[in-house]
Amino acid sequence: TGNLKLSGDRNVIEVQQTRYAEAPTQGLAIASAGILGSNQAHITIESLVTEIRTETHHTGLAPNQGGIVVEHASTLKVDNEVANSLKIDSTATNAAAFNSLHGISVDRNADVVYPDADGSEVELGKVTETEITLRPNTQTNAYGLASYGKGSITSDGSVTVTLDVGQENIGGFNRFVAVYADTAYVKGYANNGGRVELNGGLNVVLPQSVKPGQTNVYALLASGEPKKSTTRNPYIAVNGSSDDVHHLNGNVNAVYGGEIKLSMANASSYLTGWADNHAEDSIKEGSVDLSLTNGAVWNVISKLTPAGGLSSERSVVDTLNLGGGTLNMSYASRNGLNDWEDEGHRQQLVLSGSDKEQGLTGTGGTICMDINLADEGSKNEGLHLDQIVVKGHTEGTHELSVNFVNGLG
C-alpha cells in the first residue's frame, strides 16, 4: 500500500532501459513503466501537464512495459478543477522476441495472480486531455488504453492514441489496439473481463503505411475467454454526445463474449474500418451495437490481411441505429482506394440481432452503396454490389445514395 501525488504546473517522468531486465524467478511477471502502482497503491495526478516518456527493452508474454501500469486493487485518478494534460510516449526497443507495450494498463496479471482481490480503477477526468503515442517494433503488441480482469478505465475527457512505426531498422508492430478490454495476459485462467468507458472524444491516428482495414489494427477490441465463460465479460462503451468528436481509424471487434457499444453523435465524427461480432460462430460470438446520429459516419471497408491482401468484405454487428447518421459502404471506391477492396467493390453488412429492438433502427439516415452495372457478377462468384442483410427489426426512412462503379453500364 502506498500513495503518490503529482501536482504543480508540469511534471516529467523519463525511463530509459538499455537491456532486458530478467525476472528473478522463471515466469514471474515483471514491469517497467513511467508510473507503476500495485498492491493497493493510490496515485493522484493534479498537475497541469504530466509527461511520461519511456524506452523499455522487455520481451516475453508476462512482462509489461509502457507509460502507466496499475495492478492489484490500486487506483489512478487524473483530474483537477481547471484543465490538465496527460501525455504518454512509450517505445519498445527489443525486437528479439514477442513483447507487449501499453499506454495505460490495468490489472493485466491480477485476475490470474490475485483472483480474490478487488479490481483496480483508473479515472481520467472531464478536463483531462490524454495523449498516448506508442512506438512498437515488429514483435510488439501495442495497446493504448487496456483494461483486464476486474479492472476498469473511465475517461470523461478526450483521448488520442497514435501509432508510430518509425523506429530505425525495427519499426513496425504485430498488433495495434487503441482501446482494449480483455481477461488477462494469458487465456484460460481469468474469470473476469476488463471494462473501458469513454464519455468524451476519441482519436485514433495511424501512419500512412498502415491501412485501417488490416486484421491486426483495432480502434476497439473486446476479447473474452475462448474455452470458458466469465463472471464479467470484457466491455467497451464509447458514449459520444453531440460535443464529442471521434476519429476512429481501425476496426471494431468483439470476440469470445466481448461486448462493444459505440455511439457517435457529431457531424465531424467517423469510423473507418470493419466491425465484427462473430455471430455465426457460437464459440467466438460477441456483441457490437453501433449508433450514428447527427451526421456521424461509418466508412465500411474490407478486412485486409496484415500484409494488405483482401480477407473479407463482410461486417457483422447486432444493431445499427441510423438516426441522422451516414452508413458509407462506398468509401473505398469513391476515394480511389483500389487496394482497399477487390475489383467487385463489394461490401456486405449483416445486422445479426434478432431480438425485437435489434436490427436497423432510427430514421433520417443516409446509406451510400456501390453497384457495378457494367459487370454485375453472379450469385456463385459474388454480386458486384453492396448489400445489407437485416435479420431482426427494421424501421425508419433513409436516403439512398448509389455510386455507379464504371458508369451506368
Side-chain angles (χ1 to χ4, degrees), residues 123-188:
E123 298 180 25
L124 307 174
K126 189 174 182 62
V127 295
T128 302
E129 294 184 1
T130 303
E131 300 178 15
I132 298 172
T133 300
L134 300 174
R135 305 179 194 275
N137 58 63
T138 54
Q139 299 293 315
T140 306
N141 286 352
Y143 307 101
L145 298 178
S147 181
Y148 303 81
K150 298 176 187 174
S152 66
I153 299 174
T154 303
S155 173
D156 293 328
S158 64
V159 176
T160 298
V161 182
T162 300
L163 173 65
D164 186 320
V165 296
Q167 282 198 76
E168 187 174 357
N169 298 323
I170 62 171
F173 66 102
N174 183 61
R175 171 198 266 188
F176 167 72
V177 186
V179 180
Y180 190 41
D182 200 353
T183 53
Y185 72 93
V186 62
K187 297 291 188 182

Short mmCIF file of all heavy atoms in Angstrom, two decimals, residues 123-188:
data_model
loop_
_atom_site.label_atom_id
_atom_site.label_comp_id
_atom_site.label_asym_id
_atom_site.label_seq_id
_atom_site.Cartn_x
_atom_site.Cartn_y
_atom_site.Cartn_z
N GLU A 123 -9.38 6.61 -13.38
CA GLU A 123 -10.33 7.66 -13.72
C GLU A 123 -9.58 8.82 -14.37
O GLU A 123 -8.69 9.42 -13.75
CB GLU A 123 -11.06 8.16 -12.47
CG GLU A 123 -11.89 7.11 -11.76
CD GLU A 123 -12.58 7.67 -10.53
OE1 GLU A 123 -12.81 8.90 -10.48
OE2 GLU A 123 -12.87 6.88 -9.62
N LEU A 124 -9.96 9.13 -15.60
CA LEU A 124 -9.41 10.28 -16.32
C LEU A 124 -10.52 11.32 -16.39
O LEU A 124 -11.57 11.09 -16.98
CB LEU A 124 -8.95 9.87 -17.72
CG LEU A 124 -7.98 8.68 -17.77
CD1 LEU A 124 -7.70 8.28 -19.21
CD2 LEU A 124 -6.68 9.01 -17.04
N GLY A 125 -10.30 12.48 -15.79
CA GLY A 125 -11.38 13.44 -15.55
C GLY A 125 -11.88 14.15 -16.79
O GLY A 125 -11.31 14.08 -17.88
N LYS A 126 -12.96 14.89 -16.59
CA LYS A 126 -13.63 15.58 -17.68
C LYS A 126 -12.75 16.65 -18.31
O LYS A 126 -12.87 16.95 -19.50
CB LYS A 126 -14.95 16.20 -17.18
CG LYS A 126 -15.83 16.77 -18.28
CD LYS A 126 -17.16 17.23 -17.73
CE LYS A 126 -18.07 17.75 -18.84
NZ LYS A 126 -18.41 16.71 -19.83
N VAL A 127 -11.86 17.24 -17.53
CA VAL A 127 -10.99 18.30 -18.06
C VAL A 127 -9.62 17.74 -18.46
O VAL A 127 -8.69 18.50 -18.73
CB VAL A 127 -10.81 19.44 -17.04
CG1 VAL A 127 -12.13 20.13 -16.77
CG2 VAL A 127 -10.21 18.91 -15.73
N THR A 128 -9.50 16.43 -18.52
CA THR A 128 -8.23 15.80 -18.84
C THR A 128 -8.13 15.49 -20.33
O THR A 128 -9.03 14.87 -20.91
CB THR A 128 -8.04 14.49 -18.04
OG1 THR A 128 -8.11 14.79 -16.65
CG2 THR A 128 -6.71 13.84 -18.37
N GLU A 129 -7.05 15.94 -20.96
CA GLU A 129 -6.73 15.55 -22.33
C GLU A 129 -5.62 14.50 -22.25
O GLU A 129 -4.52 14.79 -21.80
CB GLU A 129 -6.28 16.75 -23.15
CG GLU A 129 -7.36 17.78 -23.39
CD GLU A 129 -6.89 18.92 -24.29
OE1 GLU A 129 -5.72 18.86 -24.74
OE2 GLU A 129 -7.68 19.84 -24.54
N THR A 130 -5.94 13.28 -22.67
CA THR A 130 -4.99 12.19 -22.61
C THR A 130 -4.45 11.91 -24.01
O THR A 130 -5.23 11.65 -24.93
CB THR A 130 -5.65 10.91 -22.06
OG1 THR A 130 -6.19 11.19 -20.76
CG2 THR A 130 -4.64 9.78 -21.94
N GLU A 131 -3.12 12.01 -24.17
CA GLU A 131 -2.48 11.74 -25.45
C GLU A 131 -1.48 10.61 -25.27
O GLU A 131 -0.55 10.72 -24.47
CB GLU A 131 -1.77 13.00 -25.97
CG GLU A 131 -2.69 14.19 -26.19
CD GLU A 131 -1.93 15.42 -26.65
OE1 GLU A 131 -0.76 15.26 -27.07
OE2 GLU A 131 -2.49 16.53 -26.57
N ILE A 132 -1.67 9.54 -26.02
CA ILE A 132 -0.80 8.36 -25.93
C ILE A 132 -0.16 8.11 -27.29
O ILE A 132 -0.87 7.97 -28.29
CB ILE A 132 -1.59 7.12 -25.48
CG1 ILE A 132 -2.18 7.33 -24.08
CG2 ILE A 132 -0.71 5.87 -25.50
CD1 ILE A 132 -3.12 6.24 -23.64
N THR A 133 1.16 8.06 -27.32
CA THR A 133 1.89 7.70 -28.53
C THR A 133 2.65 6.41 -28.26
O THR A 133 3.41 6.31 -27.30
CB THR A 133 2.87 8.80 -28.95
OG1 THR A 133 2.15 10.00 -29.21
CG2 THR A 133 3.64 8.40 -30.21
N LEU A 134 2.43 5.41 -29.11
CA LEU A 134 3.08 4.11 -28.97
C LEU A 134 4.04 3.90 -30.12
O LEU A 134 3.67 4.07 -31.29
CB LEU A 134 2.04 2.99 -28.95
CG LEU A 134 1.01 3.06 -27.81
CD1 LEU A 134 -0.06 1.99 -28.00
CD2 LEU A 134 1.67 2.93 -26.46
N ARG A 135 5.29 3.52 -29.78
CA ARG A 135 6.33 3.30 -30.78
C ARG A 135 6.81 1.83 -30.64
O ARG A 135 7.82 1.56 -30.00
CB ARG A 135 7.48 4.28 -30.57
CG ARG A 135 7.04 5.74 -30.56
CD ARG A 135 8.20 6.70 -30.33
NE ARG A 135 7.73 8.03 -30.01
CZ ARG A 135 7.39 8.97 -30.89
NH1 ARG A 135 7.48 8.69 -32.18
NH2 ARG A 135 6.98 10.15 -30.49
N PRO A 136 6.07 0.91 -31.22
CA PRO A 136 6.41 -0.51 -31.10
C PRO A 136 7.48 -0.92 -32.11
O PRO A 136 7.94 -0.11 -32.93
CB PRO A 136 5.08 -1.21 -31.40
CG PRO A 136 4.40 -0.28 -32.36
CD PRO A 136 4.81 1.11 -31.95
N ASN A 137 7.87 -2.19 -32.03
CA ASN A 137 8.72 -2.79 -33.05
C ASN A 137 7.98 -3.95 -33.71
O ASN A 137 6.81 -4.21 -33.39
CB ASN A 137 10.06 -3.23 -32.46
CG ASN A 137 9.90 -4.23 -31.32
OD1 ASN A 137 9.41 -5.34 -31.51
ND2 ASN A 137 10.32 -3.84 -30.12
N THR A 138 8.62 -4.64 -34.61
CA THR A 138 7.94 -5.65 -35.41
C THR A 138 7.40 -6.82 -34.59
O THR A 138 6.56 -7.57 -35.07
CB THR A 138 8.89 -6.20 -36.48
OG1 THR A 138 10.10 -6.66 -35.85
CG2 THR A 138 9.25 -5.12 -37.49
N GLN A 139 7.85 -6.97 -33.34
CA GLN A 139 7.41 -8.07 -32.48
C GLN A 139 6.42 -7.61 -31.40
O GLN A 139 6.05 -8.40 -30.53
CB GLN A 139 8.62 -8.70 -31.80
CG GLN A 139 9.65 -9.28 -32.74
CD GLN A 139 9.10 -10.48 -33.50
OE1 GLN A 139 8.47 -11.35 -32.91
NE2 GLN A 139 9.31 -10.52 -34.79
N THR A 140 5.93 -6.38 -31.48
CA THR A 140 5.16 -5.79 -30.38
C THR A 140 3.66 -5.84 -30.61
O THR A 140 3.17 -5.52 -31.69
CB THR A 140 5.57 -4.31 -30.20
OG1 THR A 140 6.99 -4.22 -30.03
CG2 THR A 140 4.88 -3.71 -28.98
N ASN A 141 2.93 -6.21 -29.54
CA ASN A 141 1.50 -5.92 -29.44
C ASN A 141 1.36 -4.62 -28.67
O ASN A 141 1.78 -4.54 -27.51
CB ASN A 141 0.76 -7.04 -28.72
CG ASN A 141 0.60 -8.29 -29.56
OD1 ASN A 141 0.91 -8.29 -30.75
ND2 ASN A 141 0.12 -9.36 -28.96
N ALA A 142 0.78 -3.60 -29.29
CA ALA A 142 0.72 -2.26 -28.72
C ALA A 142 -0.71 -1.89 -28.37
O ALA A 142 -1.60 -1.99 -29.23
CB ALA A 142 1.32 -1.25 -29.68
N TYR A 143 -0.94 -1.45 -27.12
CA TYR A 143 -2.28 -1.15 -26.63
C TYR A 143 -2.29 0.26 -26.01
O TYR A 143 -1.46 0.57 -25.16
CB TYR A 143 -2.70 -2.16 -25.57
CG TYR A 143 -2.59 -3.60 -26.00
CD1 TYR A 143 -1.52 -4.39 -25.60
CD2 TYR A 143 -3.55 -4.17 -26.83
CE1 TYR A 143 -1.41 -5.71 -26.00
CE2 TYR A 143 -3.45 -5.50 -27.22
CZ TYR A 143 -2.38 -6.27 -26.81
OH TYR A 143 -2.28 -7.57 -27.21
N GLY A 144 -3.26 1.07 -26.41
CA GLY A 144 -3.37 2.42 -25.86
C GLY A 144 -3.93 2.41 -24.45
O GLY A 144 -3.21 2.56 -23.47
N LEU A 145 -5.25 2.26 -24.32
CA LEU A 145 -5.92 2.05 -23.05
C LEU A 145 -6.31 0.59 -22.98
O LEU A 145 -7.02 0.09 -23.85
CB LEU A 145 -7.17 2.91 -22.93
CG LEU A 145 -7.00 4.43 -22.97
CD1 LEU A 145 -8.37 5.11 -22.89
CD2 LEU A 145 -6.12 4.92 -21.83
N ALA A 146 -5.88 -0.13 -21.93
CA ALA A 146 -6.15 -1.56 -21.83
C ALA A 146 -6.57 -1.91 -20.42
O ALA A 146 -5.85 -1.64 -19.45
CB ALA A 146 -4.92 -2.37 -22.23
N SER A 147 -7.74 -2.54 -20.30
CA SER A 147 -8.25 -2.97 -19.01
C SER A 147 -8.51 -4.47 -19.03
O SER A 147 -9.12 -4.99 -19.97
CB SER A 147 -9.55 -2.22 -18.68
OG SER A 147 -10.06 -2.61 -17.43
N TYR A 148 -8.05 -5.15 -17.98
CA TYR A 148 -8.14 -6.61 -17.89
C TYR A 148 -8.84 -7.01 -16.59
O TYR A 148 -8.89 -6.24 -15.62
CB TYR A 148 -6.75 -7.23 -17.90
CG TYR A 148 -5.88 -6.89 -19.08
CD1 TYR A 148 -5.17 -5.70 -19.13
CD2 TYR A 148 -5.73 -7.79 -20.14
CE1 TYR A 148 -4.34 -5.40 -20.20
CE2 TYR A 148 -4.90 -7.49 -21.21
CZ TYR A 148 -4.21 -6.30 -21.24
OH TYR A 148 -3.38 -6.01 -22.29
N GLY A 149 -9.32 -8.26 -16.54
CA GLY A 149 -9.83 -8.82 -15.30
C GLY A 149 -10.95 -7.99 -14.69
O GLY A 149 -11.93 -7.66 -15.35
N LYS A 150 -10.79 -7.64 -13.42
CA LYS A 150 -11.77 -6.81 -12.72
C LYS A 150 -11.45 -5.32 -12.86
O LYS A 150 -12.11 -4.48 -12.24
CB LYS A 150 -11.82 -7.17 -11.24
CG LYS A 150 -12.26 -8.60 -10.96
CD LYS A 150 -12.18 -8.91 -9.48
CE LYS A 150 -12.44 -10.38 -9.19
NZ LYS A 150 -12.23 -10.71 -7.75
N GLY A 151 -10.45 -4.98 -13.63
CA GLY A 151 -10.03 -3.60 -13.78
C GLY A 151 -11.02 -2.76 -14.57
O GLY A 151 -11.83 -3.28 -15.35
N SER A 152 -10.93 -1.44 -14.40
CA SER A 152 -11.79 -0.54 -15.15
C SER A 152 -11.06 0.76 -15.46
O SER A 152 -10.23 1.22 -14.67
CB SER A 152 -13.08 -0.23 -14.37
OG SER A 152 -12.80 0.49 -13.19
N ILE A 153 -11.38 1.32 -16.62
CA ILE A 153 -10.88 2.63 -17.04
C ILE A 153 -12.08 3.48 -17.42
O ILE A 153 -12.92 3.04 -18.24
CB ILE A 153 -9.92 2.54 -18.23
CG1 ILE A 153 -8.69 1.69 -17.89
CG2 ILE A 153 -9.49 3.93 -18.69
CD1 ILE A 153 -7.76 1.45 -19.08
N THR A 154 -12.17 4.66 -16.85
CA THR A 154 -13.22 5.61 -17.22
C THR A 154 -12.57 6.93 -17.61
O THR A 154 -11.74 7.46 -16.87
CB THR A 154 -14.19 5.85 -16.05
OG1 THR A 154 -14.75 4.61 -15.63
CG2 THR A 154 -15.31 6.79 -16.46
N SER A 155 -12.94 7.45 -18.77
CA SER A 155 -12.44 8.75 -19.22
C SER A 155 -13.62 9.64 -19.56
O SER A 155 -14.46 9.27 -20.38
CB SER A 155 -11.53 8.59 -20.44
OG SER A 155 -11.17 9.87 -20.96
N ASP A 156 -13.67 10.80 -18.94
CA ASP A 156 -14.70 11.79 -19.25
C ASP A 156 -14.16 12.92 -20.12
O ASP A 156 -14.92 13.82 -20.49
CB ASP A 156 -15.28 12.37 -17.96
CG ASP A 156 -16.06 11.33 -17.15
OD1 ASP A 156 -16.66 10.44 -17.77
OD2 ASP A 156 -16.04 11.40 -15.91
N GLY A 157 -12.88 12.88 -20.43
CA GLY A 157 -12.26 13.88 -21.30
C GLY A 157 -11.93 13.28 -22.65
O GLY A 157 -12.44 12.22 -23.04
N SER A 158 -11.05 13.93 -23.39
CA SER A 158 -10.68 13.46 -24.73
C SER A 158 -9.46 12.56 -24.65
O SER A 158 -8.58 12.74 -23.81
CB SER A 158 -10.39 14.65 -25.65
OG SER A 158 -9.26 15.37 -25.19
N VAL A 159 -9.42 11.57 -25.56
CA VAL A 159 -8.32 10.61 -25.62
C VAL A 159 -7.83 10.53 -27.06
O VAL A 159 -8.63 10.39 -27.99
CB VAL A 159 -8.75 9.22 -25.15
CG1 VAL A 159 -7.62 8.21 -25.31
CG2 VAL A 159 -9.22 9.26 -23.69
N THR A 160 -6.51 10.60 -27.25
CA THR A 160 -5.89 10.39 -28.56
C THR A 160 -4.84 9.29 -28.43
O THR A 160 -4.00 9.32 -27.53
CB THR A 160 -5.20 11.66 -29.07
OG1 THR A 160 -6.18 12.69 -29.25
CG2 THR A 160 -4.51 11.41 -30.41
N VAL A 161 -4.93 8.29 -29.31
CA VAL A 161 -3.94 7.21 -29.34
C VAL A 161 -3.31 7.19 -30.73
O VAL A 161 -4.02 7.07 -31.73
CB VAL A 161 -4.57 5.84 -29.03
CG1 VAL A 161 -3.50 4.75 -29.04
CG2 VAL A 161 -5.29 5.87 -27.68
N THR A 162 -1.98 7.33 -30.77
CA THR A 162 -1.26 7.42 -32.03
C THR A 162 -0.29 6.26 -32.16
O THR A 162 0.48 5.97 -31.23
CB THR A 162 -0.48 8.75 -32.12
OG1 THR A 162 -1.39 9.84 -32.03
CG2 THR A 162 0.30 8.85 -33.42
N LEU A 163 -0.30 5.59 -33.31
CA LEU A 163 0.66 4.53 -33.62
C LEU A 163 1.79 5.12 -34.46
O LEU A 163 1.54 5.73 -35.50
CB LEU A 163 -0.03 3.40 -34.39
CG LEU A 163 0.89 2.29 -34.93
CD1 LEU A 163 1.55 1.52 -33.80
CD2 LEU A 163 0.10 1.35 -35.84
N ASP A 164 3.04 4.92 -34.01
CA ASP A 164 4.23 5.38 -34.72
C ASP A 164 5.11 4.17 -35.00
O ASP A 164 5.56 3.50 -34.07
CB ASP A 164 4.97 6.42 -33.87
CG ASP A 164 6.14 7.07 -34.60
OD1 ASP A 164 6.87 6.36 -35.33
OD2 ASP A 164 6.34 8.29 -34.44
N VAL A 165 5.37 3.88 -36.27
CA VAL A 165 6.17 2.71 -36.63
C VAL A 165 7.53 3.12 -37.18
O VAL A 165 8.16 2.39 -37.93
CB VAL A 165 5.42 1.83 -37.66
CG1 VAL A 165 4.16 1.26 -37.06
CG2 VAL A 165 5.09 2.62 -38.94
N GLY A 166 8.02 4.27 -36.74
CA GLY A 166 9.21 4.85 -37.34
C GLY A 166 10.53 4.51 -36.68
O GLY A 166 11.55 5.13 -37.03
N GLN A 167 10.56 3.54 -35.74
CA GLN A 167 11.85 3.17 -35.17
C GLN A 167 12.80 2.69 -36.26
O GLN A 167 12.43 1.87 -37.11
CB GLN A 167 11.69 2.06 -34.13
CG GLN A 167 11.20 2.51 -32.78
CD GLN A 167 11.47 1.47 -31.73
OE1 GLN A 167 12.60 1.32 -31.27
NE2 GLN A 167 10.42 0.74 -31.34
N GLU A 168 14.04 3.14 -36.21
CA GLU A 168 15.01 2.78 -37.23
C GLU A 168 15.30 1.28 -37.19
O GLU A 168 15.59 0.73 -36.14
CB GLU A 168 16.30 3.57 -37.03
CG GLU A 168 17.32 3.38 -38.16
CD GLU A 168 18.53 4.28 -38.01
OE1 GLU A 168 18.54 5.09 -37.05
OE2 GLU A 168 19.44 4.17 -38.84
N ASN A 169 15.21 0.64 -38.33
CA ASN A 169 15.51 -0.78 -38.55
C ASN A 169 14.48 -1.74 -37.96
O ASN A 169 14.23 -2.82 -38.54
CB ASN A 169 16.89 -1.15 -38.02
CG ASN A 169 18.01 -0.40 -38.70
OD1 ASN A 169 17.95 -0.15 -39.91
ND2 ASN A 169 19.02 -0.01 -37.93
N ILE A 170 13.85 -1.44 -36.84
CA ILE A 170 12.94 -2.39 -36.19
C ILE A 170 11.50 -1.87 -36.12
O ILE A 170 10.62 -2.54 -35.56
CB ILE A 170 13.41 -2.75 -34.77
CG1 ILE A 170 13.43 -1.51 -33.87
CG2 ILE A 170 14.76 -3.44 -34.81
CD1 ILE A 170 13.68 -1.84 -32.41
N GLY A 171 11.22 -0.70 -36.66
CA GLY A 171 9.89 -0.11 -36.56
C GLY A 171 8.83 -0.97 -37.23
O GLY A 171 9.03 -1.50 -38.32
N GLY A 172 7.71 -1.12 -36.59
CA GLY A 172 6.60 -1.93 -37.09
C GLY A 172 5.74 -2.34 -35.91
O GLY A 172 5.80 -1.75 -34.83
N PHE A 173 4.90 -3.36 -36.08
CA PHE A 173 4.06 -3.84 -34.99
C PHE A 173 3.51 -5.20 -35.36
O PHE A 173 3.41 -5.56 -36.54
CB PHE A 173 2.91 -2.87 -34.69
CG PHE A 173 1.89 -2.75 -35.80
CD1 PHE A 173 0.67 -3.39 -35.71
CD2 PHE A 173 2.15 -1.99 -36.94
CE1 PHE A 173 -0.26 -3.30 -36.73
CE2 PHE A 173 1.23 -1.88 -37.97
CZ PHE A 173 0.02 -2.54 -37.86
N ASN A 174 3.16 -5.97 -34.35
CA ASN A 174 2.46 -7.24 -34.56
C ASN A 174 0.96 -7.05 -34.49
O ASN A 174 0.21 -7.55 -35.32
CB ASN A 174 2.91 -8.27 -33.52
CG ASN A 174 2.28 -9.63 -33.74
OD1 ASN A 174 2.47 -10.25 -34.78
ND2 ASN A 174 1.49 -10.09 -32.76
N ARG A 175 0.52 -6.28 -33.49
CA ARG A 175 -0.90 -5.94 -33.33
C ARG A 175 -0.98 -4.56 -32.69
O ARG A 175 -0.20 -4.23 -31.81
CB ARG A 175 -1.61 -6.97 -32.46
CG ARG A 175 -3.01 -6.57 -32.07
CD ARG A 175 -3.51 -7.36 -30.87
NE ARG A 175 -4.25 -8.54 -31.28
CZ ARG A 175 -4.92 -9.31 -30.42
NH1 ARG A 175 -4.90 -9.05 -29.14
NH2 ARG A 175 -5.59 -10.36 -30.86
N PHE A 176 -1.97 -3.77 -33.13
CA PHE A 176 -2.22 -2.46 -32.53
C PHE A 176 -3.69 -2.37 -32.13
O PHE A 176 -4.58 -2.66 -32.93
CB PHE A 176 -1.89 -1.33 -33.50
CG PHE A 176 -2.40 0.02 -33.05
CD1 PHE A 176 -1.80 0.68 -31.99
CD2 PHE A 176 -3.48 0.62 -33.68
CE1 PHE A 176 -2.28 1.93 -31.57
CE2 PHE A 176 -3.96 1.85 -33.28
CZ PHE A 176 -3.36 2.50 -32.21
N VAL A 177 -3.93 -1.96 -30.88
CA VAL A 177 -5.29 -1.76 -30.38
C VAL A 177 -5.32 -0.44 -29.62
O VAL A 177 -4.59 -0.25 -28.66
CB VAL A 177 -5.73 -2.90 -29.43
CG1 VAL A 177 -7.19 -2.72 -29.06
CG2 VAL A 177 -5.50 -4.27 -30.06
N ALA A 178 -6.18 0.47 -30.04
CA ALA A 178 -6.28 1.76 -29.35
C ALA A 178 -6.97 1.60 -28.00
O ALA A 178 -6.49 2.11 -26.99
CB ALA A 178 -7.02 2.77 -30.22
N VAL A 179 -8.11 0.89 -27.97
CA VAL A 179 -8.86 0.68 -26.73
C VAL A 179 -9.15 -0.81 -26.61
O VAL A 179 -9.76 -1.40 -27.51
CB VAL A 179 -10.17 1.49 -26.71
CG1 VAL A 179 -10.94 1.25 -25.42
CG2 VAL A 179 -9.88 2.98 -26.89
N TYR A 180 -8.75 -1.41 -25.48
CA TYR A 180 -8.73 -2.87 -25.35
C TYR A 180 -9.36 -3.30 -24.03
O TYR A 180 -9.06 -2.74 -22.97
CB TYR A 180 -7.28 -3.32 -25.40
CG TYR A 180 -7.05 -4.81 -25.51
CD1 TYR A 180 -7.82 -5.62 -26.33
CD2 TYR A 180 -6.01 -5.40 -24.80
CE1 TYR A 180 -7.56 -6.97 -26.46
CE2 TYR A 180 -5.74 -6.77 -24.92
CZ TYR A 180 -6.52 -7.54 -25.74
OH TYR A 180 -6.27 -8.89 -25.86
N ALA A 181 -10.24 -4.30 -24.09
CA ALA A 181 -10.77 -4.94 -22.89
C ALA A 181 -10.54 -6.44 -23.04
O ALA A 181 -10.92 -7.04 -24.04
CB ALA A 181 -12.26 -4.64 -22.72
N ASP A 182 -9.91 -7.05 -22.02
CA ASP A 182 -9.55 -8.46 -22.10
C ASP A 182 -9.63 -9.06 -20.69
O ASP A 182 -9.98 -8.37 -19.72
CB ASP A 182 -8.14 -8.60 -22.69
CG ASP A 182 -7.85 -10.00 -23.24
OD1 ASP A 182 -8.67 -10.91 -23.05
OD2 ASP A 182 -6.78 -10.17 -23.85
N THR A 183 -9.26 -10.33 -20.58
CA THR A 183 -9.33 -11.01 -19.29
C THR A 183 -7.99 -10.96 -18.55
O THR A 183 -7.93 -10.63 -17.37
CB THR A 183 -9.76 -12.46 -19.49
OG1 THR A 183 -8.91 -13.10 -20.46
CG2 THR A 183 -11.21 -12.53 -19.98
N ALA A 184 -6.91 -11.32 -19.23
CA ALA A 184 -5.59 -11.35 -18.60
C ALA A 184 -4.53 -11.45 -19.69
O ALA A 184 -4.84 -11.55 -20.89
CB ALA A 184 -5.47 -12.53 -17.63
N TYR A 185 -3.26 -11.45 -19.28
CA TYR A 185 -2.16 -11.55 -20.24
C TYR A 185 -2.11 -12.91 -20.92
O TYR A 185 -1.50 -13.06 -21.98
CB TYR A 185 -0.83 -11.25 -19.55
CG TYR A 185 -0.34 -12.34 -18.61
CD1 TYR A 185 0.53 -13.33 -19.06
CD2 TYR A 185 -0.75 -12.37 -17.28
CE1 TYR A 185 0.97 -14.33 -18.20
CE2 TYR A 185 -0.30 -13.34 -16.42
CZ TYR A 185 0.55 -14.33 -16.89
OH TYR A 185 0.99 -15.31 -16.03
N VAL A 186 -2.77 -13.92 -20.32
CA VAL A 186 -2.80 -15.26 -20.89
C VAL A 186 -4.23 -15.79 -20.77
O VAL A 186 -4.92 -15.55 -19.78
CB VAL A 186 -1.80 -16.19 -20.17
CG1 VAL A 186 -2.14 -16.34 -18.70
CG2 VAL A 186 -1.73 -17.55 -20.86
N LYS A 187 -4.69 -16.48 -21.79
CA LYS A 187 -6.05 -17.00 -21.80
C LYS A 187 -6.14 -18.30 -20.99
O LYS A 187 -5.18 -19.04 -20.85
CB LYS A 187 -6.52 -17.26 -23.23
CG LYS A 187 -6.59 -16.02 -24.11
CD LYS A 187 -7.70 -15.09 -23.69
CE LYS A 187 -7.89 -13.96 -24.71
NZ LYS A 187 -8.93 -13.01 -24.30
N GLY A 188 -7.37 -18.56 -20.46
CA GLY A 188 -7.64 -19.84 -19.84
C GLY A 188 -7.70 -19.84 -18.33
O GLY A 188 -8.09 -20.84 -17.73
#
